[in-house]
């Protein structure tokens, strides 16, 4: 194991600082060698540095190429542009990897184990939008531009296919809407089918499904899927749907992987409704930290952390309210630390 690995730490907004504190503690307990460079972004960036993505934060990630990030608040409608989207663009974080696995057996959907691979830089999600004023209505018409490129599609599809092979998965499903958005999502489907035919045929099963049908099928029978790869906006929506299948947003981590850096985070947002109450579930961020450990080739430490989370939830039955329990963030974190302290 390297003596130290420098990494940027962004506590973030809302519940961010609470779940980041818990996650840093469990990382220390597994002996992770991270040396944190703490930086601000989002609302905290605006408050303390007058910028939702201060240059110091960007410089830090440029240097470390590795970050663990709490959720960042983005105002709806007006206000500043999402710092998350800007980070993805700045560091060309083209792949968003979102595994969703049932953590507590016996729920409505048992033994779900899915991976959503979301394209992170293109599509309708990029927020290239404007209004056209008519008469006295400045917002009479709203226009959004979606851009998908052959190169961008190939990159994320290759990432998903390679990840499926490396993780020993049996099937990849391309999720699209090429029947209606024939160009915008047609290019993604066409590129995927072509890539599979030329380079991946026989190494795993490939199928394709339209986004609306996919949403229904996921709720009816999630076990028919394995790895789902899709464009940016569909991936955003599907990963929350899939989070719902495995116990909610508190359960799902995400990795933003790029050419210039990798940033690990929970799928959920800053949960302003429960911020500061000591009830937030840090599991998703802890699982993101486990992905970060895997990424740094610290697989044994990642496994120890996942096993401690599993034992805390299912043997000790210490759980936060969103997982049906009565324990707060601090009690839950303490229970995981106790698990990690056992030989
Ligand atoms: P949210 O994910 O913050 O919250 C949705 C619901 O889930 C809330 O009821 C919340 O209390 C609950 N929840 C979320 N995480 C939880 C946790 N760890 N433990 C227990 N309960 C949890 O979504 P919302 O309210 O739509 O967004 C709030 C803010 O977060 C917005 O400003 C949004 O832009 C931002 N956001 C940031 C993301 C990021 O930084 N990656 C991702 C999604 C949203």
């Amino acid at each position: 194991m390297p003596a130290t690995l420098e990494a940027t730490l962004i506590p973030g907004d809302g519940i961010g600082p609470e779940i980041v504190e818990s996650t840093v503690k469990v990382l220390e307990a597994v002996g992770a060698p991270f040396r944190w460079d703490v930086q601000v972004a989002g609302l905290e960036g605006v408050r303390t540095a007058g910028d939702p993505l201060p240059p110091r934060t960007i410089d830090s990630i440029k240097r470390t190429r590795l970050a663990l990030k709490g959720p960042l608040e983005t105002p709806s409608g007006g206000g500043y542009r999402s710092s998350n989207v800007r980070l993805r663009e700045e560091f060309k974080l083209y792949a968003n990897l979102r595994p969703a696995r049932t953590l507590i057996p016996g729920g409505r959907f048992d033994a779900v184990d899915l991976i959503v691979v979301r394209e992170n830089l293109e599509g309708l999600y990029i927020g290239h939008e404007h209004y056209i004023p008519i008469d006295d209505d400045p917002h009479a018409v709203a226009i959004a531009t979606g851009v998908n490129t052959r190169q961008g599609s190939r990159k994320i599809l290759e990432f998903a296919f390679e990840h499926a092979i490396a993780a020993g998965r049996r099937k990849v499903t391309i999720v699209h809407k090429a029947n209606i958005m024939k160009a915008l999502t047609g290019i993604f489907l066409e590129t995927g089918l072509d890539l599979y035919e030329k380079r991946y045929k026989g190494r795993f099963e490939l199928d394709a499904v339209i986004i609306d049908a996919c949403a229904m099928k996921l709720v009816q029978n999630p076990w028919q899927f394995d790895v789902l790869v899709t464009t940016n906006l569909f991936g955003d929506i599907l990963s929350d749907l899939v989070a719902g299948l495995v116990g909610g947003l508190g359960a799902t981590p995400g990795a933003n992987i790029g050419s210039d850096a990798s940033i690990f985070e929970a799928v959920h947002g800053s949960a302003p409704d429960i911020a500061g109450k000591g009830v937030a579930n840090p599991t998703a961020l802890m699982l993101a930290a486990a992905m970060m450990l895997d990424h740094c080739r610290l697989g044994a430490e990642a496994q120890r952390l996942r096993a401690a989370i599993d034992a805390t939830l299912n043997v000790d039955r210490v759980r936060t309210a969103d997982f049906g329990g009565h324990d707060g963030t601090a009690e839950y974190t303490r229970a995981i630390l106790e698990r990690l302290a056992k030989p």
Side-chain angles (χ1 to χ4, degrees):
M1 194 195 294
T4 53
L5 263 175
E6 223 195 332
T8 305
L9 183 68
I10 304 175
D13 300 316
I15 59 170
E18 303 166 57
I19 58 173
V20 163
E21 188 190 329
S22 296
T23 303
V24 166
K25 281 185 187 158
V26 299
L27 279 172
E28 272 166 18
V30 294
F34 301 123
R35 188 152 58 85
W36 303 111
D37 180 23
V38 181
Q39 297 292 342
V40 294
L43 202 55
E44 192 56 20
V46 174
R47 265 197 216 116
T48 60
D51 187 342
L53 192 57
R56 281 186 57 157
T57 304
I58 294 178
D59 289 345
S60 171
I61 303 173
K62 271 189 186 151
R63 197 165 35 80
T64 62
R65 299 170 59 94
L66 184 67
L68 181 68
K69 186 182 83 56
L72 305 177
E73 211 156 310
T74 312
S76 290
Y80 55 83
R81 202 161 164 252
S82 161
S83 314
N84 292 313
V85 173
R86 282 179 59 200
L87 275 171
R88 288 169 196 163
E89 287 172 358
E90 178 73 37
F91 295 101
K92 302 185 185 68
L93 306 173
Y94 65 92
N96 195 330
L97 186 60
R98 294 180 158 184
R101 183 171 60 81
T102 303
L103 296 178
I104 301 174
R108 208 167 349 150
F109 297 95
D110 223 347
V112 171
D113 182 7
L114 293 167
I115 299 174
V116 176
V117 182
R118 164 187 172 188
E119 200 290 321
N120 228 8
L121 296 176
E122 302 194 334
L124 262 178
Y125 196 89
I126 52 179
H128 287 184
E129 303 186 296
H130 63 278
Y131 291 108
I132 299 177
I134 298 177
D135 298 331
D136 59 353
D137 183 355
H139 289 180
V141 180
I143 296 183
T145 310
V147 178
N148 280 328
T149 64
R150 172 85 68 201
Q151 197 192 21
S153 301
R154 190 179 297 123
K155 220 167 163 186
I156 187 69
L157 285 152
E158 255 169 15
F159 178 92
F161 292 177
E162 290 295 333
H163 186 78
I165 293 167
R169 310 298 289 225
R170 68 189 152 82
K171 181 165 117 174
V172 178
T173 302
I174 300 174
V175 186
H176 64 93
K177 187 74 182 174
N179 56 330
I180 304 296
M181 295 154 95
K182 291 181 195 291
L184 189 69
T185 83
I187 194 175
F188 190 80
L189 174 62
E190 179 190 299
T191 305
L193 296 177
D194 184 58
L195 185 67
Y196 181 73
E197 220 28 65
K198 290 191 176 137
R199 283 187 30 212
Y200 291 94
K201 200 167 182 166
R203 298 172 77 185
F204 52 84
E205 192 190 323
L206 183 80
D207 70 355
V209 59
I210 293 171
I211 176 71
D212 38 341
C214 181
M216 179 194 67
K217 287 178 180 199
L218 272 167
V219 174
Q220 281 184 331
N221 172 13
W223 304 278
Q224 68 189 292
F225 295 107
D226 192 10
V227 177
L228 301 148
V229 58
T230 190
T231 47
N232 205 343
L233 179 61
F234 297 161
D236 181 50
I237 298 164
L238 272 193
S239 44
D240 270 30
L241 191 159
V242 164
L245 300 176
V246 299
L249 285 168
T252 41
N256 297 283
I257 310 284
S259 337
D260 298 342
S262 297
I263 302 182
F264 298 82
E265 63 180 348
V267 167
H268 62 73
S270 59
D273 51 334
I274 56 165
K277 295 186 176 159
V279 297
N281 185 352
T283 309
L285 192 68
M286 289 180 182
L287 292 173
M291 292 176 84
M292 184 171 170
L293 289 167
D294 276 332
H295 179 80
C296 299
R297 300 180 194 280
L298 297 166
E301 286 74 9
Q303 231 7 70
R304 259 188 84 207
L305 178 51
R306 289 192 187 102
I309 292 171
D310 184 49
T312 302
L313 291 172
N314 296 309
V315 181
D316 308 333
R317 301 178 80 82
V318 177
R319 299 172 185 171
T320 49
D322 59 313
F323 276 1
H326 304 284
D327 300 290
T329 317
E331 291 81 16
Y332 177 66
T333 307
R334 202 174 310 125
I336 296 178
L337 291 171
E338 277 165 21
R339 272 279 157 193
L340 286 171
K342 285 183 187 159

